[in-house]
Structure formats: structure tokens, C-alpha cells
Amino acid sequence: MAEYKSAKEKKSNTLGCLKILLLIFNFLFWCSGAAVLWLGIWILQTKTKYVALLNSATYPACAWILIIAGVIICIVGFVGCCGAIRENKTCLIVYFVFLLIVFLLEIIAGILAYVYQDQLRGELKGGLNSTMIMQYKAKGSEGITRATDILQQDFRCCGVLNWRDWKANSPSFKTGPARNMTAPNSCCISPSDGCAARDHPSNIYHVGCLDAIESYIRTYLFIIGAVGISMACLMFIGMILTCCLHSAIRRSES
């Protein structure tokens, strides 16, 4: 009889410890979910100024995956708490399934972010040439023109590789309305109407925008990748705790 009581107390203590561990995990889970949601929104907001110049959807896709994962985490954390406090096996199974979904989403975001870094420069160079240079001041391309001007002023650059890209490759500056200009006014150190007619280094930026925006995007891709993989590790721990608690509840019932 004493041995039976001892075994029962041991099971009860194990169950209590697992419940506390899962509740602690849920608190961290909620905090991380809010952080991931904020990170995804922040990355999309900081990127929107240049969205018209980026041909690839990989970069925004990574941010959207983080946002979706963050929303799921914030909602599902409540299910985990209910399952742990009430010792409800159904809630714990649902919680485990959502943890698995978030785990896969974070892994995908992390992999996409790291893989995209390898093809980033080639895509950027081709994308900037086909949008920024070729469509600047073109009819119906007001968004590209605005994004280009913001980009060149923010990064203090001009063209893709250098300022000569405009006169050499842009239809607007070869035969179009800006043919008497060297580059857009946004290339000027002190922008004003017609300021880019003179190409002296004291007047316009000579360095291209490719290196600057590549470095800018790589920084965010690294953050997305690191957060995605870190969150996946956290989800894995949560899945193990959920399985252990579910198993302990089932044993205690039997």
C-alpha cells in the first residue's frame, strides 16, 4: 500500500513539474510570438519604400511567414495553457499540432532567408537594371520612379553600378525627356530641379546603389534566418514537453 502511494505521489509530482514547465514555456512562447510578429511587420514596413524595385517575392515571403507564425503563436499559446492547467489531452494534441505547424513555418523561413542570400546579388543587379534604370520616368511607372529617388537619397548613391548607368542604359536619359540631364535629381548631393546636369563628384553621387542595397537586404535576411531557426528550436522543445505531459496524464489516468 505504501509503495502504491509512493508511486502515485511520484507520478503526481512528475505531472506537476511538467505542467509548470509547460506553463513557463508558454510564457516564453507568447513573448517570442509577439517578438516574431513585430519583427515580420517591421521588416515589411522598412522594405516598402523600395518594394517596386525588388522583382523577387522571396524576401517579403520570409517576412510574411514570420507574421503568420507570430499570429498563430499568440493565439495557440492559450490552448497550451488550458491543456496544461486542466490536464486536457485533446487540447494538448491540438497544441502539439500547431507547434508542429509553426516549427515547419520557421524552418521554411530560415531556409528561404539563407538560400536567397546566395542568389541575392544577381537578382538585385538584374532587377534594378530592368526596373530602376529602364522604367525610370516611364509612363505608368510612377511607383518605380518614386522608389528610385528614395533609394538614391537614402543610400547616397546613383545608378546600379555607378552614375554612368543612367546615360548609358536608361531610355529617359538617352532619348527621353531627361536627355539633357546626366542622372536623376535624386543623385545630387543637394537635390534641386536640374541639379544633375553637371556630373562632377562634388555635385552628384558617383557610387552605385547595388552594394548598398545588397548589404541592407542581407542584414534583414540574416535576422530572418537566425530568428526562424531559433524559433524552430524553441518549438521543438515545446513539442517534447507537450508529449511528455500528455504521456504523464495518460499514465496518471490509468
Side-chain angles (χ1 to χ4, degrees):
M1 188 71 177
E3 288 180 2
Y4 173 75
K5 284 185 177 180
S6 176
K8 192 173 181 181
E9 285 177 4
K10 188 176 179 181
K11 284 183 180 179
S12 179
N13 290 337
T14 302
L15 189 61
C17 287
L18 286 171
K19 284 169 65 176
I20 291 170
L21 284 173
L22 192 59
L23 287 172
I24 292 171
F25 171 80
N26 257 300
F27 174 73
L28 297 174
F29 189 54
W30 268 324
C31 292
S32 62
V36 166
L37 179 60
W38 175 84
L39 177 65
I41 293 171
W42 175 63
I43 287 172
L44 280 182
Q45 284 183 333
T46 55
K47 173 233 176 232
T48 49
K49 292 187 292 184
Y50 319 118
V51 66
L53 304 177
L54 302 177
N55 284 342
S56 176
T58 307
Y59 180 64
C62 292
W64 274 112
I65 288 173
L66 290 182
I67 291 172
I68 293 168
V71 170
I72 292 173
I73 289 170
C74 291
I75 295 172
V76 174
F78 178 73
V79 178
C81 282
C82 288
I85 293 170
R86 296 183 179 182
E87 299 181 12
N88 188 307
K89 290 187 293 183
T90 304
C91 281
L92 289 175
I93 292 171
V94 172
Y95 184 60
F96 177 87
V97 170
F98 277 106
L99 281 179
L100 180 60
I101 292 171
V102 174
F103 172 78
L104 294 174
L105 284 174
E106 298 293 356
I107 287 288
I108 290 169
I111 292 173
L112 277 176
Y114 283 122
V115 167
Y116 185 50
Q117 288 192 53
D118 294 333
Q119 60 195 58
L120 177 61
R121 187 174 181 85
E123 280 198 10
L124 271 180
K125 186 176 179 180
L128 290 177
N129 273 313
S130 64
T131 55
M132 178 171 140
I133 300 298
M134 300 303 294
Q135 297 182 48
Y136 187 83
K137 291 289 186 184
K139 189 176 180 180
S141 298
E142 291 77 11
I144 289 173
T145 300
R146 185 165 53 252
T148 299
D149 289 337
I150 294 171
L151 173 70
Q152 294 190 142
Q153 278 297 295
D154 284 356
F155 289 106
R156 299 181 179 182
C157 57
C158 186
V160 179
L161 298 177
N162 56 55
W163 61 278
R164 291 187 177 90
D165 289 336
W166 291 108
K167 205 65 177 173
N169 302 315
S170 176
S172 293
F173 289 86
K174 289 172 73 175
T175 57
R179 58 185 175 275
N180 296 324
M181 302 286 288
T182 302
N185 292 327
S186 56
C187 283
C188 295
I189 296 171
S190 300
S192 61
D193 288 340
C195 65
R198 194 167 61 93
D199 61 11
H200 194 272
S202 64
N203 187 51
I204 67 170
Y205 300 114
H206 276 210
V207 65
C209 298
L210 180 61
D211 289 339
I213 195 168
E214 180 187 6
S215 176
Y216 172 84
I217 293 177
R218 277 189 190 280
T219 300
Y220 288 119
L221 287 174
F222 177 79
I223 293 171
I224 291 172
V227 168
I229 299 301
S230 300
M231 286 296 297
C233 293
L234 185 63
M235 297 306 102
F236 186 70
I237 294 170
M239 286 190 288
I240 292 174
L241 286 173
T242 305
C243 286
C244 291
L245 181 58
H246 183 275
S247 179
I249 292 171
R250 191 174 58 187
R251 285 199 304 270
S252 69
E253 288 176 346
S254 62

